[in-house]
Amino acid sequence: SAGWYARNPRGRGVDFFRRMLADAGVSHLRLVIKAGATHSGLDRRAQNRRLHERQTEADQAAYLVKRFIDRAASGVDVVMWGTVVEDPEPHGTYSLNGLVYDGRPARGDCAPGQTEPCPDPGAGIPKLAYYAFKRLTEVLRGHDARAATEIVVAAPSVRLFSVPAREGGGTTYVVWR
């Protein structure tokens, strides 16, 4: 079963949108996911309650890889991350989504228990998700991510995908539980 990284807030996955396009007679159109990011840290002062839940940099990095592989195997042509650098709007919906820290809040601007990390590690400091994205693109260079397929395994909590090489190379397998 698809994880939370594979659905939008209303629980609609790629199949829902493929059917919608087919019903409209435009099933040939490419699917692009524009806003596919999640945050690291927490911001209890943000209006978006999703940011009230602490997520580690490791959580964000795992989400990035899972989201990309799962969506590619579901037939999505382009999967974009929200932003490279954290959004500059204080307490905004996308403030903590970047792959690189923006330097805010600075030392002295922290609200204990309200915003993490506090202080921010510093403008331009990459998060683990930055390195996960870098490694993902290195490993899949020369592969056809759009031809990725999920392999059904006996363990229901395990997801296994094969990503074939474009020209004469081998297959790369991506697995998680």
Side-chain angles (χ1 to χ4, degrees):
S1 70
W4 57 273
Y5 48 82
R7 304 239 177 258
N8 67 17
R10 293 188 176 93
R12 296 177 178 150
V14 171
D15 293 341
F16 170 84
F17 293 101
R18 285 263 180 235
R19 281 191 307 277
M20 185 176 71
L21 291 173
D23 291 347
V26 290
S27 58
H28 64 282
L29 292 178
R30 297 174 61 187
L31 281 181
V32 175
I33 293 179
K34 181 180 171 217
T38 192
H39 67 285
S40 66
L42 72 88
D43 186 350
R44 291 199 172 103
R45 296 179 353 192
Q47 278 190 308
N48 185 339
R49 293 193 184 278
R50 180 179 58 85
L51 296 173
H52 296 192
E53 296 178 32
R54 176 181 292 111
Q55 290 188 141
T56 66
E57 283 191 38
D59 293 333
Q60 184 187 38
Y63 176 94
L64 183 146
V65 172
K66 292 175 181 180
R67 175 98 172 166
F68 178 82
I69 295 295
D70 181 88
R71 298 300 76 203
S74 296
V76 174
D77 295 290
V78 178
V79 180
M80 292 185 248
W81 192 255
T83 60
V84 174
V85 177
E86 292 180 323
D87 190 307
E89 180 186 342
H91 315 297
T93 295
Y94 308 107
S95 297
L96 302 174
N97 286 0
L99 303 178
V100 176
Y101 287 105
D102 68 355
R104 286 175 286 152
R107 189 174 308 282
D109 294 336
C110 294
Q114 296 298 305
T115 306
E116 292 179 14
C118 206
D120 184 284
I125 302 292
K127 297 180 181 182
L128 289 177
Y130 171 90
Y131 294 106
F133 181 74
K134 182 178 186 289
R135 184 69 180 142
L136 179 69
T137 57
E138 290 168 352
V139 168
L140 295 182
R141 185 172 288 126
H143 288 71
D144 186 358
R146 290 182 295 171
T149 56
E150 185 167 9
I151 300 168
V152 178
V153 295
S157 63
V158 174
R159 309 263 329 261
L160 173 64
F161 295 84
S162 66
V163 186
R166 283 194 193 103
E167 296 177 20
T171 298
T172 296
Y173 295 91
V174 180
V175 64
W176 67 80
R177 62 181 178 115

